[in-house]
Amino acid sequence: RVNQARDWILNMMIEQVLTEQAAEEAGITVSDAEVDQYMQDMVAESGGEDAFRAKLEEWGETYEQARREVRAQMIGMRMTERVVAEVPETTEQVHARHILVETEEEARHVKSQLDAGADFASLAKAHSKDRSTRDSGGDLGFFPRGILVAAEVEEAAYALQPGQVSDVVSSPMGFHIVQVLERDADRAVGAENLQLLREQAVQSWVEGLWAQAEVERFVEAGQ
C-alpha cells in the first residue's frame, strides 16, 4: 500500500509538470495576482491568517508550497476548460436502432426475417437482449460519434444511410443487427452526451500528455 501511495503521488506530480508544460506551450498563464486572490479567499474561508497557517502546519505544508499547488491547480483548470471548450456542441449524428442477440446463428435468422419484410421494431421487442432499448423497438435515439458502448455498432450505423440495415455485427456484447432511421449533418448534442464527450476529451488529452512523455523518455533513454 505504501508503494501504491508513493506511485500515485509521483504520478500526480508528473502529471502536474506535464500539464504546466502543455499550458506554457499553449500560452496559458496564471498571474501572481490571481494566485494571491485565491490564497486570500482560502485564508478568509479558514477564519483568518493564523487559522489558515495552523491548518497548513497540520497538513505539513508551508504557505509557499500551498501557493505553488494553487497555481498548479488553476493552470490545470484552465487547460481543462480549454480542452472542454473545443468539444463542439453541434455535430453529425445518426438516429439508429438495433437488435442484440447472443449467437450469430440467431442474428442470421433475425436478418433473414428483416430481408423478407418483417418489422424491425417488432423483432427487437421479441428477440433483443438489450433491455434498455428492447421495449422501444431497439431505438438508440440520435447519437454522435464516441457515445455508444459498442463501438462496432456505432461504426456500422455511421456506414449506413436512412432505411438501410446492416449485416450481422459482432461486438463484446453479442451479435447485432443495426438500422439507421435518420442522419443529421449538424445536430445539437444532448446535455448528457455532451458531458460524456467532454469527459472523454479531457481523458484523451491527459493520455496524450503521458504518451508524449513516454516518447520523450524513450528517445532520451536511447541517446
Side-chain angles (χ1 to χ4, degrees), residues 84 87 193-205:
V84 165
V87 176
N193 284 344
L194 184 59
Q195 179 63 27
L196 182 57
L197 290 176
R198 285 171 171 171
E199 290 172 0
Q200 289 177 352
V202 172
Q203 181 63 30
S204 295
W205 172 70

Side-chain angles (χ1 to χ4, degrees), residues 18 38-39 45 57 64-65 72-73 79 87 95 103 112 118 124 141 146 153 166 187 196 200 209:
L18 293 174
Y38 196 100
M39 293 297 291
E45 289 174 8
E57 186 175 347
E64 279 308 309
Q65 285 175 327
Q73 289 172 5
M79 282 302 296
V87 176
H95 177 195
T103 68
S112 67
V153 172
S166 73
R187 183 182 181 87
L196 182 57
Q200 289 177 352
L209 288 182

Side-chain angles (χ1 to χ4, degrees), residues 78-136:
R78 292 202 175 164
M79 282 302 296
T80 300
E81 289 168 358
R82 179 190 178 102
V83 172
V84 165
E86 291 175 354
V87 176
E89 296 185 4
T90 62
T91 187
E92 180 187 15
Q93 295 184 59
V94 295
H95 177 195
R97 54 187 178 183
H98 81 139
I99 300 170
L100 171 65
V101 293
E102 293 180 354
T103 68
E104 184 175 1
E105 182 181 3
E106 189 177 1
R108 294 289 175 196
H109 180 63
V110 170
K111 181 66 164 61
S112 67
Q113 292 181 72
L114 289 170
D115 291 342
D119 180 65
F120 194 103
S122 297
L123 287 178
K125 291 177 181 179
H127 300 286
S128 186
K129 305 299 181 185
D130 183 358
R131 295 180 181 179
S132 64
T133 65
R134 181 172 59 201
D135 292 343
S136 62

